[in-house]
Amino acid sequence: MKSVSIVGLGWLGLPLARHLKNLGWDVKGSKRTHEGAEQMRLLRLEAYHLELTPDLNIDPDDLTALLSVDSLVINIPPSQYFFDLNHYVQGVKNLVNEALLHNVQHIIFISSTSVFPEISGEFDENIVPQPAGDIGKALVEIERWLFGLTDIDCDIIRFAGLVGDDRHPVYSLAGKQDITAGGSPVNLVHIDDCARAVQLLLETPSYQRLYHLSAAKHPTRSDYYTQTAEKLGLELPHFICSAQDPQRIIKADKISQELGFVYQYPDPYLMLPTER
């Protein structure tokens, strides 16, 4: 039985863990609080408390159990609210170094398309990222460091804006007025596609790979969120559209071309959340 640990059993990590467990994987994971780890255990997931401070704040026996796996998925989004970004970078490096000491064979790092600035252009995996914000800079530093490792399979997957049944930007935009960049395209990906893409990478380790994940269609923010709010019976948002709105497109068909991945949600209009 193949085994995997998911560091970060949050909004994405928990569904991913359940998905892999349903496929027969031996799945473990971590939360950064004792209470969170206990909640995961109540859901019948083997879970441990792990906090990056940036030292690994975890019981040594628990660390051994967490890292006694074939593969490690690092799913800890950097946040200026929860982490000092320098601590975040060093914490991820410390975690990876421990994984290497425990003979983990395959690492997947969940990154973000926020490594690219909000400017016009088509951004595929060949474009060198030039992040404008500190979070993007932290992600790029980790990406480059990971691809400097040898003797281990390592994948980096950059997700576009995440959407799921209980998470959709339309809820925070509903009813707002004079929202800028209404003419800019959306770059979104559904959580189900994210889980299936990570599964595919886990099943096909091959040294070092970099992939984007984003739906192929990119309606404008104004069209998409207005129509989505209307379908959900929400108060309509009002956008300001300008000819100067950045036309930023995330290209994400490399994983399909190389690994045969098929998006279940290639169009953001297929990502309508279940009504609240």
Side-chain angles (χ1 to χ4, degrees):
M1 179 186 297
K2 291 185 177 180
S3 55
V4 60
S5 281
I6 301 169
V7 174
L9 291 171
W11 182 82
L12 171 65
L14 177 56
L16 173 61
R18 286 172 161 165
H19 175 72
L20 294 172
K21 196 171 181 180
N22 288 338
L23 293 172
W25 282 71
D26 177 17
V27 181
K28 307 175 186 181
S30 74
K31 295 282 285 185
R32 63 185 185 91
T33 66
H34 289 286
E35 295 79 11
E38 182 59 31
Q39 289 176 350
M40 294 300 102
R41 294 185 199 114
L42 293 174
L43 297 175
R44 299 187 176 182
L45 283 173
E46 184 178 340
Y48 301 94
H49 163 248
L50 167 63
E51 188 175 11
L52 308 182
T53 63
D55 295 329
L56 303 189
N57 182 9
I58 183 174
D59 179 90
D61 291 339
D62 289 351
L63 180 62
T64 297
L66 181 67
L67 296 180
S68 296
V69 289
D70 303 313
S71 303
L72 176 67
V73 177
I74 302 175
N75 175 47
I76 316 174
S79 168
Q80 292 169 321
Y81 299 102
F82 295 115
F83 296 101
D84 175 291
L85 287 172
N86 291 325
H87 286 181
Y88 169 78
V89 171
Q90 190 57 51
V92 171
K93 291 180 179 180
N94 290 342
L95 174 61
V96 171
N97 284 328
E98 281 293 334
L100 295 174
L101 290 174
H102 284 79
N103 295 313
V104 172
Q105 299 299 306
H106 185 192
I107 291 174
I108 297 177
F109 178 67
I110 306 298
S111 188
S112 166
T113 56
S114 65
V115 298
F116 298 110
E118 291 290 335
I119 60 175
S120 294
E122 294 190 347
F123 298 90
D124 64 13
E125 292 86 348
N126 293 318
I127 301 296
V128 176
Q130 295 180 323
D134 290 340
I135 287 178
K137 291 175 182 176
L139 290 171
V140 169
E141 182 176 348
I142 292 171
E143 290 182 5
R144 290 174 178 165
W145 180 80
L146 286 170
F147 277 173
L149 301 176
T150 57
D151 301 323
I152 187 168
D153 293 320
C154 183
D155 289 313
I156 294 168
I157 185 165
R158 297 173 179 152
F159 292 149
L162 294 169
V163 173
D165 281 348
D166 60 345
R167 172 172 167 168
H168 198 289
V170 70
Y171 292 116
S172 62
L173 295 174
K176 289 190 175 181
Q177 300 297 308
D178 299 332
I179 306 169
T180 58
S184 293
V186 300
N187 295 279
L188 298 173
V189 63
H190 195 279
I191 187 173
D192 290 354
D193 281 332
C194 295
R196 292 172 53 252
V198 172
Q199 171 203 340
L200 181 57
L201 297 182
L202 286 168
E203 291 173 346
T204 61
S206 182
Y207 192 45
Q208 294 180 346
R209 298 175 297 189
L210 169 65
Y211 293 112
H212 293 170
L213 211 70
S214 177
K217 296 194 175 180
H218 306 272
T220 66
R221 283 160 43 86
S222 176
D223 288 347
Y224 179 64
Y225 290 118
T226 301
Q227 292 182 39
T228 300
E230 188 173 18
K231 289 179 180 178
L232 294 174
L234 302 173
E235 188 177 353
L236 300 185
H238 175 263
F239 289 86
I240 298 173
C241 299
S242 165
Q244 283 71 48
D245 289 343
Q247 300 301 302
R248 177 178 178 270
I249 299 288
I250 300 298
K251 303 290 287 184
D253 57 350
K254 178 184 173 186
I255 192 171
S256 301
Q257 294 172 359
E258 292 188 355
L259 301 181
F261 181 77
V262 178
Y263 286 87
Q264 289 184 339
Y265 297 87
D267 186 339
Y269 284 109
L270 299 174
M271 302 179 194
L272 283 182
T274 53
E275 296 186 41
R276 292 181 173 180

